[in-house]
Amino acid sequence: MVNHGMILDLVEHVGAVARHGMVSVPLGEGDPDELRAAAAAWCARTGNDLVEVQGNVATVRRGRSPNPLGELDPDLLPGTRLWMYTNFDCNLACDYCCARSSPQAARRALGLDRVRQLATEAVDAGVSELILTGGEPFLLPDIDELVAACTAVLPTTLLTNGMLFRGRRLDALRRMDRSRLALQISLDSATSQLHDEHRGRGSWARAVAGIRTAHDEGFRVRVAATLPYEQSAELAPFHAFLDSLGIAPRDQVIRALAHRGAADAGIELTVESLIPEVTITADGVYWHPVSADDDDQLVTRDIFPLQEAITEVRRRFTEVRARATAAAQWFPCA
Amino acid sequence: MSEPLMVGAVAYTPNVVTIWEGMRDYFAGTSSEMDFVLFSNYGRQVDALIDGTIDVAWNTNLAWVRTVAQTDGACRALAMRDTDTVFQTVFVARAGSNITGLDGLRDRRLALGSQDSAQAAILPVYFLDHAGPGADSVELVRLNSDVGKHGDTGRSELDALRAVLDERADAAAIGVNTWESIGREELMPGAFEAFWESPAYSHCNFTALPDVPAERTQPWLDLLFAMDWDNPEHRPILEMEGLRRWVPPQLDGYASLFEAVREQRIPARW
């Protein structure tokens, strides 16, 4: 039987702190599961948050916590954009690739059937944009079909290194829906040195050629650069170069090098520090595209139903932020 | 613009600061701004109202009765919470006690809250006298925690409930807000059951004296009554203060307390 005095203790202790303040309340002797259930029921009924129960001590926050999801910019709400890793193999072996892609990497393709089902379910799940990435998606012989499955239902972005627009791959590009598809091509610098240093000799020139080809074919092109933090202040020449290529300012994306995958340096990105972007690979659902080859950010192996995967990511984000808020309140330095 | 209306309230919990800062923010930038002063007890708050330190006091029902007594009825009530119009005292006992009404308390022990709590001490005695066996035939176990705050903290009522759980009392008289806060009979099955609920009576109100004219209080009241439960900016304050909307005062609801104070010879001031 639950210790009846615990409810009285909860009322008294929680009533003595200010809104959003936290307090630890000993729940007394009893079955831990029953004590936790009783504390949870009281919190639910009285509009307070049960932060945690450890060793028969409940930590309660007075009042309802602000919903972390509600505080996000609507465009950042997890599940607004859906990332899909079409494959992991690549014609390049960039030394900082967050997905550890290379010519030696196993393909681990998501496949047309799953991409089609994801795209269909994405509409019902409230996704507003699909993003296909790899690996290098243009290595897939059916990349045009994958893209068509996506553009048929939602605006889509396809990430590529832009180096393979020849022959049948150029034909595949030409079959894609220009009105619904944007291409995001990786380019790290205004000259070849820095780009080639990380991505391989000659890759800069071919990427620039790919940008021009994509433009000539009538596609919207976004350019994404990955830069070490110390170089992120020297962007003027790079932006000037992208301007000269006809890349609109809003399509010039600069991102910091992440210490993930093959990178041996960069900013540390964890579940706690990242706002999640639901990311699907052949192996499961991941927290963010930057960590799609890292088990520490695997959310679930179950890709379907997509709605449940999105719900789980949102639930975990709420939990992580609540824990962070709690920790911040528990460790004041003065 | 006139000086902000100065409202007094008693600091019975840290949340009071949040509530009144929220109220001050709500009125900020309007033609009727307000500020607030917090007191440690209702006695000093009523003193401050009478000497003009504050323009309006957020008073308990006992503080209202005492203000009426000290001003010979010259004070006026401005507004109250919707929940203040339907306040009740609940008599509870251990589940299975077989106490079925106030008469069942004869020769038993009844735990009461703080002596200055209308809901948990003064009115329970009144109800015993007028609807039960008479207070003289019941052993009263008084738990005077937090005297001065008129039972606002709820602590004395929780102490009364603990006395029942510990078998130091057979029953307890508590406010309906405390009964709700413990989840009535639902969260602690087998612990408590209510065996008598009082008629509804009035609880807190905003009190002003005649030298604060209606020209100052009415614009403030108009804004107060405009607070909207469905407005997300207003709602947190309303939730914290325990109401859905502000309403005009219902003075009839104080009749039982006036009578109880007179019968129990509770002084007009301490």
Side-chain angles (χ1 to χ4, degrees):
Chain A
M1 176 179 290
V2 172
N3 161 29
H4 289 139
M6 65 164 276
I7 298 287
L8 306 182
D9 292 343
L10 283 167
V11 173
E12 181 166 350
H13 286 83
V14 175
V17 298
R19 182 175 180 245
H20 293 166
M22 291 203 303
V23 63
S24 291
V25 184
L27 300 179
E29 299 297 319
D31 176 79
D33 291 337
E34 287 189 7
L35 290 170
R36 175 189 294 272
W42 180 80
C43 287
R45 183 179 179 119
T46 54
N48 297 292
D49 266 358
L50 180 61
V51 177
E52 63 177 11
V53 177
Q54 284 193 345
N56 287 7
V57 175
T59 300
V60 179
R61 179 186 296 106
R62 185 169 186 181
R64 294 268 182 241
S65 305
N67 180 0
L69 294 170
E71 295 182 332
L72 286 178
D73 183 314
D75 290 340
L76 297 178
L77 186 67
T80 301
R81 304 198 302 182
L82 179 67
W83 290 75
M84 291 181 259
Y85 267 76
T86 55
N87 58 305
F88 279 85
D89 54 328
C90 187
N91 54 314
L92 293 179
C94 306
D95 62 7
Y96 51 54
C97 180
C98 65
R100 300 185 180 87
S101 291
S102 74
Q104 288 73 44
R107 173 151 288 184
R108 293 153 62 197
L110 202 47
L112 180 57
D113 290 344
R114 284 191 289 196
V115 168
R116 186 177 284 134
Q117 185 176 346
L118 284 165
T120 303
E121 293 190 17
V123 175
D124 293 336
V127 174
S128 61
E129 183 185 1
L130 300 173
I131 304 175
L132 299 173
T133 187
E136 173 47 53
F138 275 87
L139 289 178
L140 298 173
D142 57 353
I143 184 59
D144 52 335
E145 293 181 77
L146 268 63
V147 169
C150 294
T151 56
V153 294
L154 284 169
T156 303
T157 295
L158 175 61
L159 275 62
T160 173
N161 56 36
M163 296 170 61
L164 301 176
F165 298 155
R166 294 188 306 275
R168 62 177 174 81
R169 291 174 175 132
L170 179 59
D171 294 340
L173 175 67
R174 286 173 171 156
R175 286 192 290 273
M176 295 176 186
D177 183 349
R178 289 154 182 76
S179 69
R180 301 274 277 181
L181 180 71
L183 294 170
Q184 180 169 313
I185 298 177
S186 303
L187 191 74
D188 291 345
S189 52
T191 58
S192 62
Q193 184 184 354
L194 178 65
H195 181 101
D196 286 1
E197 193 175 297
H198 294 288
R199 294 176 180 264
R201 180 178 295 184
S203 60
W204 180 87
R206 290 176 65 187
V208 171
I211 292 170
R212 292 195 166 109
T213 299
H215 256 162
D216 291 346
E217 293 294 335
F219 286 94
R220 174 184 171 189
V221 178
R222 193 180 298 143
V223 169
T226 303
L227 292 178
Y229 178 77
E230 61 273 18
Q231 292 170 14
S232 60
E234 303 165 6
L235 297 176
F238 186 48
H239 282 302
F241 177 66
L242 295 179
D243 291 343
S244 75
L245 290 176
I247 306 299
R250 67 187 170 104
D251 286 331
Q252 300 177 14
V253 181
I254 312 294
R255 59 199 173 190
L257 175 63
H259 189 196
R260 280 274 158 187
D264 56 11
I267 59 171
E268 302 296 340
L269 297 174
T270 66
V271 165
E272 287 74 18
S273 65
L274 280 168
I275 296 172
E277 292 212 39
V278 180
T279 301
I280 311 292
T281 79
D283 302 311
V285 179
Y286 287 79
W287 190 252
H288 194 278
V290 80
S291 54
D293 194 42
D294 294 325
D295 284 347
D296 66 316
Q297 296 197 20
L298 172 68
V299 177
T300 171
R301 296 280 180 202
D302 300 323
I303 297 171
F304 301 109
L306 177 62
Q307 179 66 73
E308 285 188 14
I310 292 173
T311 300
E312 176 61 13
V313 170
R314 290 179 179 177
R315 187 195 67 76
R316 289 197 193 187
F317 175 67
T318 303
E319 188 178 279
V320 165
R321 288 300 162 102
R323 206 160 48 229
T325 302
Q329 289 198 9
W330 277 125
F331 294 102
C333 289
Chain B
M1 184 180 289
S2 59
E3 288 291 306
L5 199 72
M6 196 62 71
V7 178
V10 167
Y12 63 90
T13 159
N15 234 16
V16 168
V17 176
T18 312
I19 290 169
W20 290 99
E21 286 183 343
M23 291 285 280
R24 184 178 59 192
D25 291 347
Y26 169 72
F27 286 95
T30 70
S31 60
S32 189
E33 296 197 336
M34 62 158 281
D35 206 340
F36 64 94
V37 179
L38 297 181
F39 294 87
S40 68
N41 63 81
Y42 282 99
R44 298 298 78 74
Q45 175 169 291
V46 172
D47 288 347
L49 178 70
I50 290 171
D51 71 21
T53 303
I54 56 175
D55 301 310
V56 173
W58 177 236
N59 270 339
T60 60
N61 44 2
L62 180 62
W64 162 250
V65 169
R66 284 177 159 164
T67 307
V68 170
Q70 292 182 54
T71 62
D72 293 326
C75 59
R76 65 187 195 279
L78 304 176
M80 58 205 310
R81 302 170 296 191
D82 51 358
T83 45
D84 285 312
T85 67
V86 291
F87 213 88
Q88 288 177 286
T89 293
V90 182
F91 286 71
V92 303
R94 289 300 297 260
S97 69
N98 293 321
I99 300 176
T100 56
L102 292 183
D103 284 335
L105 288 172
R106 190 183 301 276
D107 298 326
R108 294 195 195 237
R109 300 163 299 173
L110 174 67
L112 298 178
S114 294
Q115 63 190 21
D116 59 3
S117 168
Q119 67 269 20
I122 300 168
L123 284 171
V125 169
Y126 173 85
F127 295 132
L128 285 174
D129 286 338
H130 290 262
D136 289 344
S137 61
V138 178
E139 181 184 342
L140 301 179
V141 179
R142 291 188 177 272
L143 297 157
N144 288 319
S145 26
D146 290 340
V147 170
K149 294 186 171 63
H150 295 188
D152 275 356
T153 65
R155 187 179 143 204
S156 68
E157 294 166 56
L158 296 172
D159 287 344
L161 290 170
R162 290 188 181 102
V164 174
L165 286 177
D166 297 345
E167 300 183 352
R168 289 179 281 121
D170 300 299
I174 60 175
V176 70
N177 55 338
T178 298
W179 185 227
E180 290 286 355
S181 74
I182 67 167
R184 290 181 169 263
E185 286 137 340
E186 293 147 31
L187 290 184
M188 290 187 282
F192 298 111
E193 62 186 12
F195 61 87
W196 194 80
E197 294 186 1
S198 77
Y201 53 85
S202 292
H203 208 278
C204 299
N205 72 50
F206 286 112
T207 309
L209 297 193
D211 50 0
V212 180
E215 293 78 44
R216 288 201 70 205
T217 55
Q218 193 56 49
W220 184 81
L221 282 173
D222 291 342
L223 287 166
L224 185 78
F225 290 138
M227 291 184 81
D228 182 1
W229 177 260
D230 293 322
N231 184 324
E233 290 185 11
H234 304 172
R235 189 155 170 171
I237 305 168
L238 297 173
E239 282 184 335
M240 278 186 287
E241 187 54 29
L243 72 156
R244 278 183 170 261
R245 63 190 181 98
W246 297 100
V247 297
Q250 291 192 13
L251 298 182
D252 291 350
Y254 293 114
S256 56
L257 186 58
F258 274 108
E259 197 174 348
V261 165
R262 188 171 59 251
E263 290 175 356
Q264 294 171 40
R265 298 193 175 125
I266 292 168
R269 184 178 184 282
W270 69 54

